[in-house]
Amino acid sequence: MAVVGSESNPLRVAIIGSGPAGFYTVSNFMKMKDLHVEMDMYDRLPTPYGLVRAGVAPDHQKDKSVIRAYEKSAAYAGFRFFGNVEYGSDIHLDDLKKHYHQVIFTTGSPFDRNLGIAGEDLNGSHSATEFVAWYNGHPDFADRKFDLSQENVVVVGMGNVAMDVARILCKTHEELAVTDMADHALKVLKQSKVKNVYILGRRGPAQAAFTPPEIKEMGEFAEADVNILAAEAKLDGASQTMLDESQDRNTLKNVTFVQDYAVRVNQHKPRQLHIRFLVSPVELIGEAGDVQAVKMIKNELYTDDRGSLKARATATEETIPAGLVFRSVGYRGKPLPDVPFNESWGTISNDQGRVVDANGSAVSGMYTAGWIKRGPSGVIGTNKTCAQETVGLMAEDLAQDGHFQPVDTDPAAIEALVRSRQPDLVSYSDWKKVDAAELAAGEASNRPRVKVSNVDEMLELIRG
Ligand code: NAP
């Protein structure tokens, strides 16, 4: 048998998950001109692109331009998309071992983290993850209900997801109607009665996880003012010293925006965004099962053993009324059947992308990239270098026989197996039919696209 990766015996790779890390796996393999690779990419949804489709904010269309590069990867001769096929139910690790040399898991971090405070289960308390997936038309979340008749909304956390959620709540219907936000969400947001949006950060402006373009946008709403308390915008001594020493450009920019907003004159617009620092929710207060208010405690910063500035509760309490609360304190990976998982990190157990067992030994043939490898951090492009690292190891391991021993490498064989389990398998050309329909509907209404957010509807479009 010719060596694996040669023209007569191509390396066969299964990619589980079609988000950025999955597509950067393809493009990184494509760069290895001496290696002959065939790649099948699986996704449980009929649509590709993961968070680029279902996570990136609809008013941030530029961030979705990476799709053009993914389309080029999808055009690679050895690439196939197997959409609407779920790893662990339609296809299992044992099946993959019979048909591929290697498998790479790029399934992202679909779960959200909890706050772990009383009242978190009240009606009106949601994860930002759900809200984001809902307004982006993710089929699993299309029927979620969010009570936007509430006047006061709290968003807990100060990362870019919290910024996205607050921004969507502060924008007008006119600002949102030109985006590819799901129609069901546009309709509900058009009726929104929201007046006050509070973003709660547990640390100070110099520790905020948002990035400068996102905090800049908070000062540019047509119909919402941004409010920051002067006392909270001012850096404490330790933060100021750290910033003076590091001169970190993003932090300097963030702090400048925050301090500018703190002295801004309020224009009395219909909506008010309040960005609060050094506060932690300690309880969601409810009545008759519905959230009514957020009890929070004022924090101070202290330097921990490792020299990081951490939040510590003071005795000062404050309660703000809120009928809707979104926690946006980070994502978490979902364990996959037959794949070692690190519960405390919420990632697949791995060493630089090689899946490892409980003893830390590499599991032959199994790899990972993206958020499920390193945790939910970084921008879309971060997944490029992340996938590059893993793909490099996959190629390196080939030389050491680091792969499964498939019994049937005929691409038609695995496709037949998958179709026998999931007759509604969605190929890349099938997806392009949905894509074309969405784009045409978008063109007709002067929007980037009008999303289909129902799987049956997608399948009907595919069947023609
Ligand atoms: P993130 O950037 O990790 O931010 C999480 C936030 O939650 C932090 O402010 C963190 O505060 C806070 N937090 C954590 N536990 C908390 C608790 N128990 N109580 C109160 N606050 C708590 O996560 P993310 O916003 O989910 O974003 C995930 C990744 O996607 C990030 O890398 C982000 O930049 C990226 N993203 C990028 C864009 C964009 O480029 N436009 C858009 C969306 C997401 P501490 O810092 O104190 O821990």
Side-chain angles (χ1 to χ4, degrees), residues 226-286:
V226 57
N227 301 276
I228 295 182
L229 300 171
E232 292 180 1
K234 190 173 182 308
L235 296 194
D236 60 289
S239 297
Q240 189 65 60
T241 306
M242 270 193 189
L243 189 55
D244 290 345
E245 283 168 6
S246 75
Q247 288 295 310
D248 180 78
R249 287 184 58 202
N250 276 354
T251 312
L252 282 168
K253 283 188 195 165
N254 281 350
V255 170
T256 303
F257 280 117
V258 166
Q259 295 184 342
D260 282 355
Y261 294 158
V263 293
R264 205 180 248 205
V265 177
N266 193 293
Q267 303 292 312
H268 304 289
K269 292 178 178 175
R271 287 190 178 136
Q272 299 294 317
L273 170 65
H274 309 267
I275 306 182
R276 298 290 310 267
F277 294 95
L278 291 162
V279 285
S280 283
V282 287
E283 184 186 348
L284 303 189
I285 300 167

Side-chain angles (χ1 to χ4, degrees), residues 55-57 60 63 113-115 156-164 167 200-203 207-211 214 279-281 309 311 328-331 371 376-380:
V56 170
H60 278 183
D63 294 348
R113 290 188 186 271
N114 285 341
L115 292 167
V156 183
M158 227 168 233
N160 281 336
V161 172
M163 296 289 125
D164 285 349
R167 201 176 62 250
L200 308 184
R202 64 178 168 182
R203 297 191 287 163
Q207 292 80 36
F210 52 64
T211 42
E214 277 64 32
V279 285
S280 283
L309 285 178
S328 179
V329 294
Y331 290 84
W371 278 7
S377 66
V379 291
I380 295 169

Side-chain angles (χ1 to χ4, degrees), residues 293-338:
V294 176
K295 184 171 169 189
M296 55 193 200
I297 198 133
K298 191 81 193 151
N299 294 327
E300 61 184 10
L301 295 178
Y302 73 98
T303 310
D304 74 0
D305 307 344
R306 295 198 208 138
S308 305
L309 285 178
K310 291 275 168 66
R312 174 167 64 196
T314 67
T316 311
E317 280 182 5
E318 186 183 339
T319 298
I320 43 175
L324 194 55
V325 176
F326 294 106
R327 57 183 180 278
S328 179
V329 294
Y331 290 84
R332 205 186 137 72
K334 176 182 170 187
L336 296 163
D338 305 318

Side-chain angles (χ1 to χ4, degrees), residues 131 146-155 165-172 188-198 223-224 269-274 323-326:
F131 188 58
F146 301 97
D147 181 8
L148 293 170
S149 69
Q150 297 297 331
E151 291 192 354
N152 302 307
V153 184
V154 163
V155 184
V165 167
R167 201 176 62 250
I168 294 299
L169 290 167
C170 286
K171 283 200 167 178
T172 60
V188 176
L189 281 158
K190 191 177 182 183
Q191 308 299 327
S192 167
K193 299 275 185 293
V194 172
K195 281 194 181 150
N196 292 296
V197 178
Y198 298 85
E223 296 291 338
K269 292 178 178 175
R271 287 190 178 136
Q272 299 294 317
L273 170 65
H274 309 267
L324 194 55
V325 176
F326 294 106

Side-chain angles (χ1 to χ4, degrees), residues 93-105:
L93 185 62
D94 281 347
D95 303 319
L96 299 178
K97 284 183 174 175
K98 286 181 193 143
H99 295 273
Y100 298 95
H101 297 101
Q102 294 176 330
V103 56
I104 174 165
F105 296 94

